[in-house]
Amino acid sequence: MAESDREKWDRRYAEGAYRPRTYPSPFLVERLAELPRGRALDLACGAGRNALCLAEAGYEVEALDISGVAVERARESARERGLEVSWRVADLDRFVPRQGRYDLITVIRYTNREMMERLPEGLAEGGMLLVEHHFRTPAPVGGPTSRTFRLAPNELVEIFGGRLRVLFYDERIAPDPDGKRMALARFIGCRGSPGF
């Protein structure tokens, strides 16, 4: 990711972008009980809302984001809540997960197709990948306006379906807790057997 991208995200967080969004992804919360426990990786963690949810659920969490401002805000939130999370500022364009390291990888509302191609190798046997992102729709919804940052229909299944067992996939227009309507593609895949 270019230095200009890092500066853009640092500026957004410094100006208060996403400050009200402290709640974790409702999709993550509703699926948490069925996800494998252990070591989790939260990519594009922003100010940490999902990483903190995972830490509270007992995961050993690593969380990465391009913005040092966002990561510092997340680190402070973790301190206030007495939670341990390994926070890192990282260029996700270059990120390659260590092979077989994670029981759970989460990517919430961040599009980086090349990075996503590399994620299955980071999962341990039985590990799961949970992704939620905006998809393309003509309906009036919140989120990014550029088609580049929205997924095509079934794109997550096409990216991961040949390499992970698809346990869940849907596309829906749903309200966010902040009241905005969002068009969301939601995916859970497993490396190997999920145990059933």
Side-chain angles (χ1 to χ4, degrees):
M1 193 173 277
E3 184 63 27
S4 62
D5 289 324
R6 183 184 311 276
E7 291 169 0
K8 174 185 77 173
W9 286 105
D10 279 347
R11 187 172 50 255
R12 282 188 184 176
Y13 279 101
E15 292 171 354
Y18 313 110
R19 191 169 292 280
R21 193 180 291 167
T22 57
Y23 56 86
S25 160
F27 177 50
L28 174 62
V29 172
E30 69 189 44
R31 295 295 177 153
L32 199 54
E34 63 199 66
L35 300 173
R37 293 301 185 255
R39 184 176 285 143
L41 173 65
D42 184 32
L43 293 167
C45 67
R49 64 193 184 116
N50 297 304
L52 295 169
C53 172
L54 292 170
E56 285 177 334
Y59 286 90
E60 179 185 338
V61 184
E62 294 175 39
L64 282 64
D65 198 89
I66 187 69
S67 170
V69 175
V71 167
E72 190 50 44
R73 187 183 302 169
R75 189 174 281 124
E76 181 59 32
S77 293
R79 275 194 294 265
E80 289 170 2
R81 292 159 75 165
L83 297 171
E84 289 290 324
V85 175
S86 174
W87 304 102
R88 280 187 17 221
V89 176
D91 180 347
L92 296 181
D93 284 345
R94 296 189 177 127
F95 175 73
V96 178
R98 194 176 333 159
Q99 189 162 0
R101 179 170 174 82
Y102 302 101
D103 301 292
L104 175 65
I105 298 175
T106 60
V107 185
I108 308 291
R109 302 189 191 185
Y110 172 68
T111 306
N112 185 324
R113 291 163 177 90
E114 288 181 23
M115 179 202 71
M116 286 196 284
E117 291 279 352
R118 299 188 291 266
L119 297 183
E121 284 71 40
L123 291 170
E125 180 67 21
M128 294 186 189
L129 172 67
L130 181 145
V131 179
E132 175 185 80
H133 197 61
H134 306 279
F135 72 90
R136 296 174 191 158
T137 177
V141 293
T145 55
S146 170
R147 290 174 55 84
T148 303
F149 300 112
R150 287 188 175 271
L151 300 170
N154 294 314
E155 188 172 354
L156 291 175
V157 174
E158 290 168 12
I159 291 171
F160 300 118
R163 300 163 64 208
L164 297 175
R165 180 175 173 180
V166 178
L167 302 180
F168 178 86
Y169 182 74
D170 80 353
E171 296 173 358
R172 65 176 59 199
I173 294 179
D176 247 7
D178 62 9
K180 295 179 183 174
R181 284 173 22 105
M182 298 290 184
L184 298 173
R186 307 181 319 163
F187 173 93
I188 299 174
C190 179
R191 182 174 184 186
S193 171
F196 57 81

Coordinates of all heavy atoms in Angstrom, one line a residue, residues 40-118:
A40 N -6.4 -16.0 16.7 CA -7.1 -15.3 15.7 C -6.3 -14.2 15.1 O -5.5 -13.5 15.8 CB -8.4 -14.7 16.3
L41 N -6.6 -13.9 13.9 CA -6.0 -12.7 13.2 C -7.1 -11.9 12.6 O -8.0 -12.3 11.9 CB -5.1 -13.3 12.0 CG -4.6 -12.2 11.0 CD1 -3.6 -11.3 11.8 CD2 -3.9 -12.9 9.8
D42 N -7.1 -10.6 13.0 CA -8.1 -9.6 12.5 C -7.4 -8.7 11.6 O -6.5 -7.9 12.0 CB -8.7 -8.9 13.7 CG -9.8 -7.9 13.2 OD1 -10.5 -8.2 12.2 OD2 -10.0 -6.9 13.9
L43 N -7.7 -8.7 10.3 CA -7.0 -7.9 9.3 C -7.8 -6.6 9.0 O -9.0 -6.7 8.9 CB -6.8 -8.7 8.0 CG -5.8 -9.8 8.2 CD1 -5.9 -10.8 7.0 CD2 -4.4 -9.3 8.4
A44 N -7.1 -5.5 8.8 CA -7.7 -4.2 8.6 C -8.6 -3.9 9.8 O -9.7 -3.6 9.8 CB -8.5 -4.1 7.3
C45 N -7.9 -4.0 11.0 CA -8.7 -3.9 12.3 C -9.2 -2.6 12.6 O -10.0 -2.4 13.5 CB -7.8 -4.5 13.4 SG -6.3 -3.4 13.8
G46 N -8.7 -1.5 12.0 CA -9.1 -0.2 12.3 C -8.9 0.1 13.8 O -7.8 -0.2 14.3
A47 N -9.9 0.7 14.5 CA -9.7 1.0 15.9 C -10.0 -0.1 16.8 O -10.1 0.0 18.0 CB -10.7 2.2 16.2
G48 N -10.1 -1.3 16.2 CA -10.1 -2.6 17.0 C -11.4 -3.2 17.5 O -11.4 -4.1 18.3
R49 N -12.5 -2.7 17.0 CA -13.8 -3.2 17.5 C -14.0 -4.7 17.4 O -14.5 -5.3 18.3 CB -15.0 -2.5 16.8 CG -15.1 -2.8 15.3 CD -16.0 -1.8 14.6 NE -16.2 -2.1 13.2 CZ -17.3 -2.5 12.6 NH1 -18.4 -2.6 13.4 NH2 -17.4 -2.8 11.3
N50 N -13.5 -5.3 16.3 CA -13.7 -6.8 16.2 C -12.6 -7.5 16.9 O -12.8 -8.6 17.5 CB -13.7 -7.2 14.7 CG -14.9 -6.5 14.0 OD1 -16.1 -6.7 14.5 ND2 -14.7 -5.8 13.0
A51 N -11.4 -7.0 16.9 CA -10.3 -7.7 17.6 C -10.6 -7.7 19.1 O -10.3 -8.7 19.8 CB -9.0 -6.9 17.3
L52 N -11.1 -6.6 19.6 CA -11.5 -6.5 21.1 C -12.6 -7.5 21.4 O -12.5 -8.2 22.4 CB -11.9 -5.1 21.4 CG -10.8 -4.1 21.3 CD1 -11.3 -2.7 21.5 CD2 -9.7 -4.3 22.4
C53 N -13.5 -7.7 20.5 CA -14.6 -8.7 20.7 C -14.0 -10.1 20.8 O -14.4 -10.9 21.7 CB -15.6 -8.6 19.6 SG -16.9 -9.9 19.5
L54 N -13.0 -10.4 19.9 CA -12.4 -11.7 19.9 C -11.6 -11.9 21.2 O -11.6 -13.0 21.8 CB -11.5 -11.9 18.7 CG -12.3 -11.9 17.3 CD1 -11.3 -11.8 16.2 CD2 -13.1 -13.2 17.2
A55 N -10.9 -10.9 21.6 CA -10.1 -11.0 22.8 C -11.0 -11.3 24.0 O -10.7 -12.1 24.9 CB -9.2 -9.7 23.1
E56 N -12.1 -10.6 24.1 CA -13.1 -10.8 25.2 C -13.6 -12.2 25.2 O -14.0 -12.7 26.2 CB -14.2 -9.8 25.1 CG -13.8 -8.4 25.5 CD -14.9 -7.4 25.4 OE1 -15.8 -7.5 24.5 OE2 -14.8 -6.3 26.1
A57 N -13.7 -12.8 24.0 CA -14.2 -14.2 23.8 C -13.1 -15.2 24.1 O -13.4 -16.4 24.0 CB -14.8 -14.4 22.4
G58 N -11.9 -14.8 24.5 CA -10.9 -15.7 24.9 C -9.8 -16.0 23.8 O -9.0 -16.9 24.1
Y59 N -9.9 -15.4 22.7 CA -8.9 -15.7 21.6 C -7.6 -15.0 21.9 O -7.5 -14.0 22.6 CB -9.4 -15.1 20.3 CG -10.5 -15.9 19.6 CD1 -11.8 -15.6 19.9 CD2 -10.2 -17.0 18.7 CE1 -12.8 -16.4 19.3 CE2 -11.2 -17.7 18.1 CZ -12.5 -17.4 18.4 OH -13.5 -18.1 17.8
E60 N -6.5 -15.6 21.4 CA -5.2 -15.0 21.4 C -5.2 -14.2 20.1 O -5.1 -14.8 19.0 CB -4.1 -16.0 21.4 CG -2.7 -15.5 21.3 CD -1.6 -16.6 21.3 OE1 -1.9 -17.7 21.7 OE2 -0.5 -16.2 20.8
V61 N -5.2 -12.9 20.1 CA -5.5 -12.1 18.9 C -4.3 -11.3 18.4 O -3.6 -10.6 19.2 CB -6.7 -11.1 19.2 CG1 -7.0 -10.3 17.9 CG2 -7.9 -11.8 19.8
E62 N -4.1 -11.4 17.1 CA -3.2 -10.5 16.4 C -4.1 -9.6 15.5 O -5.0 -10.1 14.9 CB -2.2 -11.2 15.5 CG -1.2 -12.1 16.3 CD -0.4 -12.9 15.4 OE1 0.1 -12.4 14.3 OE2 -0.1 -14.1 15.7
A63 N -3.8 -8.3 15.5 CA -4.6 -7.4 14.7 C -3.7 -6.4 14.0 O -2.8 -5.8 14.5 CB -5.6 -6.6 15.7
L64 N -4.0 -6.3 12.7 CA -3.2 -5.4 11.8 C -4.0 -4.4 11.1 O -5.1 -4.6 10.7 CB -2.5 -6.3 10.7 CG -1.3 -7.2 11.1 CD1 -1.7 -8.2 12.1 CD2 -0.8 -7.8 9.8
D65 N -3.4 -3.2 10.9 CA -4.0 -2.2 10.1 C -2.9 -1.3 9.5 O -1.8 -1.2 10.1 CB -5.0 -1.3 11.0 CG -6.0 -0.5 10.1 OD1 -7.0 -1.1 9.8 OD2 -5.6 0.6 9.8
I66 N -3.2 -0.6 8.5 CA -2.3 0.4 7.8 C -2.1 1.6 8.6 O -1.1 2.3 8.5 CB -2.8 0.7 6.4 CG1 -1.7 1.5 5.6 CG2 -4.1 1.5 6.4 CD1 -0.5 0.8 5.3
S67 N -3.1 2.0 9.4 CA -3.1 3.3 10.1 C -2.6 3.2 11.6 O -3.1 2.5 12.4 CB -4.5 3.9 10.2 OG -4.6 5.0 11.1
G68 N -1.4 3.8 11.8 CA -0.9 3.9 13.1 C -1.8 4.6 14.1 O -1.9 4.3 15.3
V69 N -2.5 5.6 13.6 CA -3.5 6.3 14.4 C -4.6 5.4 14.9 O -4.9 5.4 16.1 CB -4.1 7.6 13.7 CG1 -5.2 8.2 14.5 CG2 -3.0 8.5 13.3
A70 N -5.1 4.6 14.0 CA -6.2 3.6 14.4 C -5.6 2.6 15.4 O -6.3 2.3 16.3 CB -6.7 3.0 13.1
V71 N -4.5 2.1 15.1 CA -3.9 1.1 16.0 C -3.6 1.6 17.4 O -3.9 0.9 18.4 CB -2.6 0.5 15.3 CG1 -1.8 -0.4 16.3 CG2 -3.0 -0.4 14.1
E72 N -3.2 2.9 17.5 CA -3.0 3.4 18.8 C -4.3 3.6 19.5 O -4.4 3.4 20.7 CB -2.2 4.8 18.7 CG -1.8 5.3 20.0 CD -1.0 4.3 20.9 OE1 -0.1 3.6 20.4 OE2 -1.3 4.2 22.1
R73 N -5.3 4.0 18.8 CA -6.7 4.1 19.4 C -7.1 2.7 19.9 O -7.7 2.6 21.0 CB -7.7 4.7 18.4 CG -9.0 5.0 19.1 CD -10.0 5.4 18.1 NE -9.6 6.7 17.4 CZ -10.3 7.2 16.4 NH1 -11.3 6.6 15.9 NH2 -9.9 8.3 15.8
A74 N -6.9 1.7 19.1 CA -7.2 0.3 19.5 C -6.5 -0.1 20.7 O -7.0 -0.7 21.6 CB -7.0 -0.6 18.3
R75 N -5.2 0.2 20.7 CA -4.3 -0.2 21.8 C -4.8 0.4 23.1 O -4.9 -0.2 24.2 CB -2.9 0.2 21.5 CG -1.8 -0.3 22.5 CD -0.4 0.1 22.0 NE 0.0 -0.8 21.0 CZ 0.4 -0.5 19.8 NH1 0.5 0.8 19.5 NH2 0.8 -1.4 18.9
E76 N -5.2 1.7 23.1 CA -5.7 2.4 24.2 C -7.0 1.7 24.7 O -7.2 1.5 25.9 CB -5.9 3.9 23.9 CG -6.4 4.7 25.1 CD -5.5 4.6 26.3 OE1 -4.3 4.5 26.2 OE2 -6.1 4.7 27.5
S77 N -7.9 1.4 23.8 CA -9.2 0.7 24.1 C -8.9 -0.6 24.8 O -9.6 -1.0 25.8 CB -10.0 0.5 22.9 OG -10.5 1.7 22.4
A78 N -7.9 -1.4 24.3 CA -7.6 -2.6 24.9 C -7.1 -2.4 26.4 O -7.4 -3.2 27.3 CB -6.5 -3.4 24.1
R79 N -6.2 -1.4 26.6 CA -5.7 -1.1 27.9 C -6.9 -0.8 28.9 O -6.9 -1.3 30.0 CB -4.7 0.0 27.9 CG -3.3 -0.3 27.6 CD -2.3 0.8 27.9 NE -2.5 1.9 27.0 CZ -1.9 2.2 25.9 NH1 -1.0 1.3 25.5 NH2 -2.1 3.3 25.2
E80 N -7.8 0.1 28.4 CA -8.9 0.5 29.2 C -9.8 -0.7 29.6 O -10.4 -0.8 30.7 CB -9.8 1.5 28.5 CG -9.2 2.8 28.3 CD -9.9 3.7 27.4 OE1 -11.0 3.3 26.9 OE2 -9.5 4.9 27.2
R81 N -9.9 -1.7 28.8 CA -10.7 -2.9 29.0 C -9.9 -4.1 29.6 O -10.5 -5.1 29.9 CB -11.4 -3.3 27.7 CG -12.4 -2.3 27.3 CD -12.8 -2.3 25.8 NE -13.6 -3.4 25.5 CZ -14.3 -3.5 24.3 NH1 -14.2 -2.5 23.4 NH2 -15.0 -4.5 24.0
G82 N -8.6 -3.9 29.8 CA -7.8 -5.0 30.4 C -7.6 -6.2 29.5 O -7.6 -7.3 29.9
L83 N -7.5 -5.9 28.2 CA -7.4 -7.0 27.2 C -6.0 -7.0 26.6 O -5.4 -6.0 26.3 CB -8.5 -6.8 26.1 CG -9.9 -6.9 26.6 CD1 -10.9 -6.5 25.4 CD2 -10.3 -8.3 27.1
E84 N -5.6 -8.2 26.3 CA -4.3 -8.4 25.6 C -4.5 -8.7 24.1 O -5.2 -9.6 23.7 CB -3.5 -9.6 26.2 CG -3.0 -9.3 27.6 CD -1.8 -8.3 27.6 OE1 -1.0 -8.3 26.6 OE2 -1.8 -7.5 28.5
V85 N -4.0 -7.8 23.2 CA -4.0 -8.0 21.8 C -2.7 -7.6 21.3 O -2.1 -6.6 21.7 CB -5.1 -7.1 21.1 CG1 -5.1 -7.2 19.6 CG2 -6.5 -7.5 21.7
S86 N -2.2 -8.3 20.3 CA -0.9 -8.0 19.6 C -1.3 -7.1 18.4 O -1.8 -7.6 17.4 CB -0.2 -9.2 19.1 OG 0.9 -8.9 18.4
W87 N -1.1 -5.8 18.6 CA -1.4 -4.8 17.5 C -0.2 -4.5 16.7 O 0.9 -4.3 17.2 CB -1.9 -3.5 18.2 CG -3.0 -3.6 19.2 CD1 -2.9 -3.6 20.5 CD2 -4.4 -3.7 18.8 NE1 -4.2 -3.7 21.1 CE2 -5.1 -3.8 20.1 CE3 -5.1 -3.8 17.7 CZ2 -6.5 -4.0 20.1 CZ3 -6.5 -4.0 17.7 CH2 -7.2 -4.0 18.9
R88 N -0.4 -4.4 15.3 CA 0.7 -4.1 14.4 C 0.2 -3.2 13.3 O -0.9 -3.4 12.8 CB 1.2 -5.4 13.8 CG 2.1 -6.1 14.6 CD 2.8 -7.3 14.0 NE 2.9 -7.4 12.6 CZ 2.7 -8.5 11.9 NH1 2.4 -9.6 12.5 NH2 2.7 -8.5 10.6
V89 N 1.0 -2.2 13.0 CA 0.8 -1.4 11.8 C 1.5 -2.2 10.6 O 2.6 -2.6 10.7 CB 1.4 0.0 11.9 CG1 1.3 0.8 10.6 CG2 0.8 0.7 13.1
A90 N 0.7 -2.4 9.6 CA 1.2 -3.3 8.5 C 0.6 -2.9 7.2 O -0.5 -2.4 7.1 CB 0.9 -4.7 8.8
D91 N 1.4 -3.1 6.1 CA 1.0 -2.9 4.7 C 0.3 -4.2 4.3 O 1.0 -5.2 4.1 CB 2.2 -2.5 3.9 CG 1.8 -2.3 2.4 OD1 0.7 -2.7 2.0 OD2 2.7 -1.8 1.7
L92 N -1.0 -4.2 4.2 CA -1.7 -5.4 3.9 C -1.5 -5.9 2.4 O -1.8 -7.0 2.1 CB -3.2 -5.3 4.3 CG -3.4 -5.1 5.8 CD1 -4.9 -5.0 6.1 CD2 -2.8 -6.2 6.6
D93 N -1.1 -5.0 1.6 CA -0.8 -5.4 0.2 C 0.4 -6.4 0.2 O 0.4 -7.3 -0.7 CB -0.3 -4.2 -0.6 CG -1.5 -3.3 -1.1 OD1 -2.7 -3.8 -0.9 OD2 -1.3 -2.2 -1.5
R94 N 1.2 -6.3 1.2 CA 2.4 -7.2 1.2 C 2.3 -8.3 2.3 O 3.2 -9.1 2.4 CB 3.7 -6.3 1.6 CG 4.0 -5.4 0.5 CD 5.3 -4.7 0.7 NE 5.6 -3.8 -0.4 CZ 5.9 -2.6 -0.3 NH1 6.0 -2.0 0.9 NH2 6.2 -1.8 -1.3
F95 N 1.2 -8.3 3.0 CA 1.1 -9.2 4.1 C 0.9 -10.7 3.6 O 0.0 -10.9 2.8 CB -0.1 -8.8 5.0 CG -0.4 -9.8 6.1 CD1 0.4 -10.0 7.2 CD2 -1.5 -10.7 6.0 CE1 0.2 -10.9 8.2 CE2 -1.7 -11.7 6.9 CZ -0.9 -11.8 8.0
V96 N 1.7 -11.6 4.2 CA 1.5 -13.0 3.9 C 1.4 -13.7 5.2 O 2.4 -13.6 6.1 CB 2.7 -13.5 3.1 CG1 2.6 -15.0 2.9 CG2 2.9 -12.8 1.8
P97 N 0.3 -14.4 5.5 CA 0.2 -15.0 6.9 C 1.1 -16.2 7.0 O 1.4 -16.9 6.0 CB -1.3 -15.5 6.9 CG -1.7 -15.6 5.5 CD -0.9 -14.6 4.7
R98 N 1.6 -16.4 8.2 CA 2.5 -17.6 8.4 C 1.6 -18.9 8.2 O 0.5 -19.0 8.7 CB 3.1 -17.6 9.8 CG 4.2 -18.6 9.9 CD 4.9 -18.6 11.2 NE 4.9 -17.4 12.0 CZ 5.2 -17.3 13.3 NH1 5.4 -18.4 13.9 NH2 5.2 -16.2 13.9
Q99 N 2.1 -19.8 7.5 CA 1.4 -21.0 7.1 C 0.9 -21.8 8.3 O 1.6 -22.1 9.2 CB 2.2 -21.9 6.2 CG 1.4 -23.1 5.6 CD 2.2 -23.7 4.5 OE1 3.2 -23.3 4.1 NE2 1.5 -24.7 3.9
G100 N -0.4 -22.1 8.3 CA -1.0 -22.9 9.3 C -1.1 -22.3 10.7 O -1.3 -23.0 11.7
R101 N -0.9 -21.0 10.9 CA -0.8 -20.4 12.2 C -2.1 -20.1 12.9 O -2.2 -20.2 14.1 CB 0.0 -19.0 12.0 CG 0.1 -18.3 13.3 CD 1.1 -17.1 13.2 NE 1.2 -16.3 14.4 CZ 2.0 -16.6 15.4 NH1 2.7 -17.7 15.4 NH2 2.0 -15.8 16.4
Y102 N -3.2 -19.8 12.2 CA -4.4 -19.2 12.8 C -5.6 -20.2 12.8 O -5.9 -20.9 11.8 CB -4.8 -17.9 12.1 CG -3.7 -16.9 12.1 CD1 -2.9 -16.7 11.0 CD2 -3.5 -16.2 13.3 CE1 -1.9 -15.8 11.1 CE2 -2.4 -15.3 13.3 CZ -1.6 -15.1 12.2 OH -0.6 -14.2 12.3
D103 N -6.3 -20.2 13.9 CA -7.6 -21.0 14.0 C -8.7 -20.2 13.4 O -9.7 -20.7 13.0 CB -7.9 -21.3 15.5 CG -6.7 -22.1 16.1 OD1 -6.6 -23.3 15.6 OD2 -6.0 -21.6 16.9
L104 N -8.6 -18.8 13.4 CA -9.6 -18.0 12.8 C -8.9 -16.7 12.2 O -8.0 -16.2 12.8 CB -10.6 -17.5 14.0 CG -11.6 -16.5 13.6 CD1 -12.6 -17.1 12.6 CD2 -12.4 -16.0 14.8
I105 N -9.4 -16.4 11.0 CA -9.0 -15.1 10.4 C -10.2 -14.4 10.1 O -11.2 -14.9 9.5 CB -8.2 -15.3 9.1 CG1 -6.8 -16.1 9.4 CG2 -7.9 -14.0 8.4 CD1 -6.0 -16.5 8.2
T106 N -10.3 -13.1 10.4 CA -11.4 -12.2 10.1 C -11.0 -11.0 9.3 O -9.9 -10.5 9.5 CB -12.1 -11.7 11.4 OG1 -11.2 -10.9 12.2 CG2 -12.6 -12.8 12.3
V107 N -11.8 -10.7 8.3 CA -11.7 -9.6 7.4 C -13.0 -8.9 7.3 O -13.9 -9.5 6.7 CB -11.1 -9.9 6.0 CG1 -10.8 -8.6 5.2 CG2 -9.9 -10.8 6.1
I108 N -13.2 -7.8 8.0 CA -14.5 -7.1 8.0 C -14.5 -5.8 7.3 O -13.7 -4.9 7.7 CB -15.0 -6.9 9.5 CG1 -14.9 -8.2 10.3 CG2 -16.4 -6.2 9.5 CD1 -15.9 -9.2 10.0
R109 N -15.2 -5.7 6.2 CA -15.4 -4.5 5.4 C -14.0 -3.9 4.9 O -13.8 -2.7 5.0 CB -16.2 -3.5 6.1 CG -17.6 -4.1 6.5 CD -18.5 -3.1 7.0 NE -19.7 -3.8 7.6 CZ -20.8 -3.3 8.0 NH1 -20.8 -1.9 8.0 NH2 -21.8 -4.0 8.5
Y110 N -13.2 -4.8 4.3 CA -12.0 -4.3 3.7 C -11.7 -5.2 2.5 O -11.8 -6.4 2.5 CB -10.8 -4.5 4.7 CG -9.4 -4.3 4.1 CD1 -9.0 -3.0 3.7 CD2 -8.5 -5.4 3.8 CE1 -7.8 -2.8 3.1 CE2 -7.3 -5.1 3.3 CZ -6.9 -3.9 2.9 OH -5.7 -3.7 2.3
T111 N -11.5 -4.5 1.3 CA -11.3 -5.1 0.1 C -9.9 -5.1 -0.3 O -9.3 -4.0 -0.5 CB -12.1 -4.5 -1.0 OG1 -13.5 -4.4 -0.7 CG2 -12.0 -5.2 -2.3
N112 N -9.3 -6.3 -0.4 CA -7.9 -6.4 -1.0 C -7.9 -7.8 -1.5 O -7.6 -8.8 -0.9 CB -6.9 -6.2 0.1 CG -5.5 -6.3 -0.4 OD1 -5.1 -7.0 -1.3 ND2 -4.6 -5.4 0.2
R113 N -8.2 -7.9 -2.8 CA -8.4 -9.2 -3.4 C -7.1 -10.1 -3.4 O -7.1 -11.3 -3.2 CB -9.0 -9.1 -4.8 CG -10.4 -8.6 -4.8 CD -10.9 -8.1 -6.1 NE -12.3 -7.7 -6.1 CZ -12.7 -6.5 -5.8 NH1 -11.9 -5.6 -5.4 NH2 -14.0 -6.3 -5.8
E114 N -6.0 -9.4 -3.7 CA -4.7 -10.1 -3.7 C -4.4 -10.7 -2.3 O -3.9 -11.8 -2.2 CB -3.6 -9.2 -4.2 CG -3.7 -9.0 -5.7 CD -2.5 -8.1 -6.2 OE1 -1.5 -8.1 -5.5 OE2 -2.7 -7.5 -7.2
M115 N -4.6 -9.9 -1.3 CA -4.4 -10.4 0.1 C -5.3 -11.6 0.4 O -4.9 -12.5 1.0 CB -4.6 -9.3 1.1 CG -4.4 -9.7 2.5 SD -5.2 -8.6 3.7 CE -6.9 -9.1 3.5
M116 N -6.6 -11.4 0.0 CA -7.5 -12.5 0.3 C -7.1 -13.8 -0.3 O -7.3 -14.9 0.3 CB -8.9 -12.1 -0.1 CG -9.5 -11.1 0.8 SD -11.3 -10.9 0.6 CE -11.5 -10.0 -0.9
E117 N -6.5 -13.8 -1.5 CA -6.0 -15.0 -2.1 C -5.0 -15.8 -1.3 O -4.9 -17.0 -1.3 CB -5.4 -14.7 -3.5 CG -6.3 -14.2 -4.5 CD -7.0 -15.3 -5.2 OE1 -6.7 -16.5 -5.0 OE2 -8.0 -15.0 -6.0
R118 N -4.3 -15.0 -0.4 CA -3.2 -15.6 0.4 C -3.7 -16.2 1.7 O -3.0 -16.9 2.5 CB -2.1 -14.6 0.7 CG -1.4 -14.1 -0.6 CD -0.2 -13.3 -0.3 NE -0.5 -12.0 0.2 CZ -0.7 -10.8 -0.5 NH1 -0.5 -10.8 -1.8 NH2 -0.9 -9.7 0.1

